[in-house]
Amino acid sequence: MAILEYIKRVFYTGPNLTDSDTSNAGGLLSGYGNTDQADTDELIGRWHSEDDGSGLHYIWGSSLELNDDGTGIYSSWGDTDPDNSGDFPVSWSRIGKHKIKIRFSAYSEWETLHYHIHDHSGPYENPQLKLTDDRDRSESSHQEGFWIIGGGLFKEK
């Protein structure tokens, strides 16, 4: 399988694909999901940490997949601390136009986030959406981010 098809399969959030479906690089897979549903929440799908085109994103990074039923998965890979790498269930709920509450499902308090989605040009001028929130990060090395992820999250358009 070519690397582009592999990448699209990894970040695709639509219906299950067969191997023959991956040849449709300009059709079904473009946009990584069904964008024709007007009633779909703009946050639904898999958002991932920044990929600068170097390939390091496959060694170290994170993603947040939000489902329409209020569940999700936060994934982190490549951290030297095994307790910080893996898949962790999350719960979330919309409470306003650009406002959600989110938490790790098993053990934490709800956090309220006011978020923004901006157009972003990814590696090789790939059009993406960038997700950030309004939290104060003055004490962090990242001046922007989303929830616990520094630098924001991205999704292919």
Side-chain angles (χ1 to χ4, degrees), residues 123-137:
Y124 314 109
E125 304 302 317
N126 186 22
Q128 298 178 330
L129 297 173
K130 182 176 183 179
L131 176 64
T132 59
D133 65 40
D134 286 347
R135 295 173 75 175
D136 177 22
R137 289 185 168 75

Side-chain angles (χ1 to χ4, degrees), residues 27-98:
L28 175 65
L29 291 176
S30 63
Y32 297 93
N34 186 352
T35 58
D36 296 332
Q37 294 179 347
D39 60 343
T40 300
D41 191 298
E42 64 188 346
L43 293 176
I44 300 298
R46 183 175 294 148
W47 296 83
H48 54 86
S49 55
E50 187 167 22
D51 178 3
D52 64 3
S54 68
L56 291 176
H57 185 257
Y58 297 104
I59 298 169
W60 177 86
S62 57
S63 69
L64 178 65
E65 184 169 353
L66 299 174
N67 303 315
D68 60 1
D69 65 356
T71 63
I73 297 287
Y74 166 73
S75 299
S76 178
W77 56 93
D79 195 303
T80 56
D81 180 355
D83 291 336
N84 292 329
S85 290
D87 295 336
F88 306 93
V90 300
S91 300
W92 74 284
S93 177
R94 176 162 299 285
I95 55 176
K97 183 173 181 177
H98 294 282

Side-chain angles (χ1 to χ4, degrees), residues 83-128:
D83 291 336
N84 292 329
S85 290
D87 295 336
F88 306 93
V90 300
S91 300
W92 74 284
S93 177
R94 176 162 299 285
I95 55 176
K97 183 173 181 177
H98 294 282
K99 198 174 197 180
I100 64 167
K101 62 181 183 176
I102 190 168
R103 69 177 180 171
F104 284 105
S105 296
Y107 58 87
S108 64
E109 299 287 323
W110 287 102
E111 295 181 59
T112 300
L113 301 176
H114 184 265
Y115 70 87
H116 304 280
I117 296 178
H118 309 278
D119 287 331
H120 179 76
S121 182
Y124 314 109
E125 304 302 317
N126 186 22
Q128 298 178 330

